[in-house]
Amino acid sequence: MAFFCDEFPIVERSEIASGIFSYVIHCPSVALAAKAGQFVHIRAEGYTLRRPISICEINREKGTIRIVFEVRGNGTDKLSQLEAGKKMDMIAPLGNGFTIKEIPSDKTVIVIGGGIGVPPMLGTAAEYTDNKVKAVLGFRNKDRVILEEDFKRVGAETAVCTDDGSYGEKGLVTFPLIEELERGKTAMIYACGPTPMLKAVINTARVYNIPCEVSLEQRMACGVGACVGCACNIRKGGRDFVLRVCKDGPVFKAEEVVL
Amino acid sequence: MSKDLSVTVAGVRFPNPVIAASGTYGFGQDYTDLYPLNKLGGISCKGTTLEPRNGNPAPRIAETPAGMLNSVGLQNPGIDMFITGYLPQLKKDGNVIIANIAGATLDDYKQAVERLDSTDVDMIELNISCPNVKQGGASWGVTCDGAAAVTKTVRAVTKKPLMVKLTPNVTNIVDIAKAVEAEGADCLSLINTLLGMRIDIRTRRPILKNNVGGFSGPAVFPVALRMVWQVANAVDIDVVGMGGITTAADAIEMMMAGAKAIQMGTAIFTDPYSPLKVIDGLEKYMEENDLNSLEEIVGTVQPW
């Protein structure tokens, strides 16, 4: 799992929803090494700590990756001001990424994203072809909906839910998830999003006994495993471990995560 | 063209004076994708205790203007794992390897250091100043008696060069430094992090689950520089300076204040290459000022 630290040119920048930015970055070495579910650690000029941002899409032919992030504070605001043509200082790719599996032809996988947890699920969905992937995307309201067309472009049958019903189905991602699981065709579930959503997805996966992987988030410093700042609690074989989201994760098996 | 950047601290030769600070560089394996460990003069390993520790609950990290807080709380695999699992590779990959030891009781320190004494670790740094753990060393480091007791206990069981790391969270760091020197410390390192806090104004909760944590980064540099200057003027043993060093100019200031070598930590999080940039900058400074040894500048500040 080699990673790089360098300044890479920005090919494309766009604001895809209010305060949510999409960047395409030319970084052939990173694109070649990257896996869906990994992240990049970006330096924001004038700030001590880098910002961990998940990889949204990988294009190995063009040597690019795409990231999508929301402006949450001054650091991400600074990042969002970087124009195309400027360079992005990144340590990348970092973390383990989702496990992509060979699945039988009559089976499908489900990717679930909530809010700004949606972007990494796009690259994960893109790993499965031939109508093998269903996407369930949850947002607060219509204004926050992102990447729906992108999921359709990569061949995912896509359902969108909003908390207030202003777009798609009203309600939580677990409703379409359960509907799909009831059809009995699901081989694997992948999820990234806010903690309450992850808890619900993990419980649902347990009830239906479907393998599930989730991507966790935590305040991070080094991003490479050295500082042990981004701790998460993991239970394996009856034993408790404190692991690093950045290096041991960010993706963990659902049944091992203690939230 | 190429200069000899080596310095000698407590009898140990460092090929250059830049050391990765404890807690910021793990056990030397995490940055090897970017450059080999032997580019650094040395590494002070993650604070290690007699038994493995899981540390504090997350969040353990918060950003501050020109700095950060951490409340990791000495999460580490324990001394035996350090010796068998990490030390052999560290010795192969790196230059000066420094074990950083913390404990709750005098006996914890004694037993951990006893086990290190028979290894080929180059130096032992005593952490009597972790701000994140109750009796995680901090309680020893804040009084002259406590600091002296730990130093004396450990001195009795090892001949390894002994560096004692001082906390700035005290009334007078010079008194602590003198107490530690009197009990046989070979050198001192300072400063550990300053105790700090941040609050999320939306939730009215501290950002750190531990409520408070250690403050580091460029913001603390002037405090660190002042303390290194005061301590270096008051003791005869060598001093290693740290606290917010980010550039070669910072490192030179720290050496002029009296530090024979320097440690870098938080700057590595911002830019993993920063230690190498400091080393390059030091070499350039030597060339420009026609120095044969960096030790020529140590303690040369001329106070008004």
Side-chain angles (χ1 to χ4, degrees), chain B residues 249-280:
Chain B
D250 296 341
I252 292 163
E253 277 193 60
M254 196 56 102
M255 295 183 84
M256 287 180 171
K260 261 196 158 178
I262 61 108
Q263 295 190 12
M264 291 178 69
T266 304
I268 302 170
F269 301 157
T270 314
D271 176 7
Y273 293 113
S274 58
L276 306 193
K277 291 174 182 170
V278 168
I279 293 165
D280 286 347

Side-chain angles (χ1 to χ4, degrees), chain A residues 7-254:
Chain A
E7 293 185 335
F8 300 99
I10 297 163
V11 181
E12 208 181 295
R13 167 193 183 271
S14 55
E15 188 169 5
I16 59 174
S18 173
I20 301 180
F21 292 84
S22 168
Y23 280 84
V24 176
I25 301 146
H26 187 69
C27 49
S29 53
V30 174
L32 205 59
K35 288 166 59 187
Q38 289 190 298
F39 69 97
V40 303
H41 212 26
I42 309 175
R43 183 172 180 178
E45 200 193 331
Y47 292 85
T48 300
L49 297 179
R50 288 169 179 261
R51 268 53 180 174
I53 310 282
S54 61
I55 296 173
C56 174
E57 281 190 279
I58 304 160
N59 188 327
R60 296 190 179 88
E61 287 75 41
K62 288 187 177 168
T64 60
I65 62 163
R66 180 188 186 190
I67 57 170
V68 170
F69 63 88
E70 183 174 23
V71 171
R72 291 271 180 87
N74 296 332
T76 39
D77 185 45
K78 184 88 190 175
L79 284 183
S80 73
Q81 291 164 23
L82 286 169
E83 300 284 348
K86 298 279 187 205
K87 289 189 168 181
M88 205 165 257
D89 184 334
M90 306 190 301
I91 311 177
L94 297 173
N96 56 357
F98 286 107
T99 311
I100 306 302
K101 289 188 171 169
E102 289 285 329
I103 57 165
S105 58
D106 60 333
K107 292 281 188 179
T108 57
V109 303
I110 306 180
V111 299
I112 303 163
I116 205 61
V118 165
M121 307 324 298
L122 178 57
T124 310
E127 293 290 334
Y128 290 94
T129 50
D130 308 328
N131 304 318
K132 276 200 161 58
V133 58
K134 316 268 176 182
V136 183
L137 314 177
F139 303 96
R140 265 204 315 277
N141 57 50
K142 189 181 179 199
D143 296 341
R144 315 307 295 164
V145 175
I146 52 168
L147 302 175
E148 184 186 6
E149 291 309 312
D150 297 83
F151 276 89
K152 290 178 177 165
R153 167 171 55 82
V154 302
E157 191 184 314
T158 306
V160 174
C161 318
T162 50
D163 294 349
D164 64 357
S166 56
Y167 190 84
E169 283 184 56
K170 182 180 161 99
L172 303 173
V173 293
T174 35
F175 297 126
L177 169 63
I178 289 168
E179 231 172 65
E180 183 57 32
L181 291 174
E182 281 294 334
R183 293 165 59 171
K185 287 182 168 263
T186 307
M188 180 90 188
I189 300 169
Y190 304 96
C192 181
T195 302
M197 186 203 93
L198 289 186
K199 280 185 181 171
V201 170
I202 290 169
N203 286 335
T204 309
R206 185 186 302 127
V207 169
Y208 285 86
N209 196 26
I210 306 292
C212 175
E213 289 184 343
V214 298
S215 178
L216 303 183
E217 198 177 34
Q218 189 48 265
R219 285 173 181 269
M220 232 173 241
C222 75
V224 301
C227 74
V228 216
C230 55
C232 62
N233 295 311
I234 297 295
R235 188 170 295 144
K236 282 190 215 181
R239 287 185 62 199
D240 290 319
F241 297 88
V242 178
L243 299 183
R244 301 160 296 186
V245 171
C246 71
K247 194 161 185 172
D248 304 308
V251 175
F252 293 93
K253 288 181 182 164

Side-chain angles (χ1 to χ4, degrees), chain B residues 120-279:
Chain B
D120 54 1
V121 77
D122 298 297
M123 200 174 227
I124 298 170
E125 183 177 52
L126 280 190
N127 181 354
I128 57 165
S129 47
C130 177
N132 289 321
V133 177
K134 285 184 189 114
Q135 297 165 333
S139 55
W140 295 107
V142 294
T143 65
C144 290
D145 289 348
V150 180
T151 309
K152 185 178 182 180
T153 301
V154 168
R155 180 76 288 171
V157 295
T158 187
K159 291 198 161 50
K160 296 273 187 197
L162 196 59
M163 176 153 73
V164 180
K165 185 168 179 176
L166 305 181
T167 173
N169 304 312
V170 294
T171 311
N172 189 345
I173 196 167
V174 169
D175 292 342
I176 311 271
K178 285 179 176 168
V180 166
E181 180 184 33
E183 293 299 343
D186 297 304
C187 58
L188 303 170
S189 57
L190 64 149
I191 58 174
N192 204 324
T193 53
L194 293 129
L195 198 58
M197 183 177 188
R198 295 224 73 181
I199 294 170
D200 181 334
I201 60 172
R202 288 167 303 135
T203 61
R204 301 189 184 193
R205 291 277 202 178
I207 292 176
L208 299 175
K209 199 74 174 270
N210 192 51
N211 298 321
V212 297
F215 177 33
S216 63
V220 312
F221 178 71
V223 178
L225 189 69
R226 182 266 295 178
M227 288 188 166
V228 165
W229 180 62
Q230 289 177 322
V231 166
N233 278 309
V235 298
D236 293 324
I237 52 179
D238 290 338
V239 172
V240 174
M242 81 187 94
I245 296 172
T246 306
T247 65
D250 296 341
I252 292 163
E253 277 193 60
M254 196 56 102
M255 295 183 84
M256 287 180 171
K260 261 196 158 178
I262 61 108
Q263 295 190 12
M264 291 178 69
T266 304
I268 302 170
F269 301 157
T270 314
D271 176 7
Y273 293 113
S274 58
L276 306 193
K277 291 174 182 170
V278 168
I279 293 165

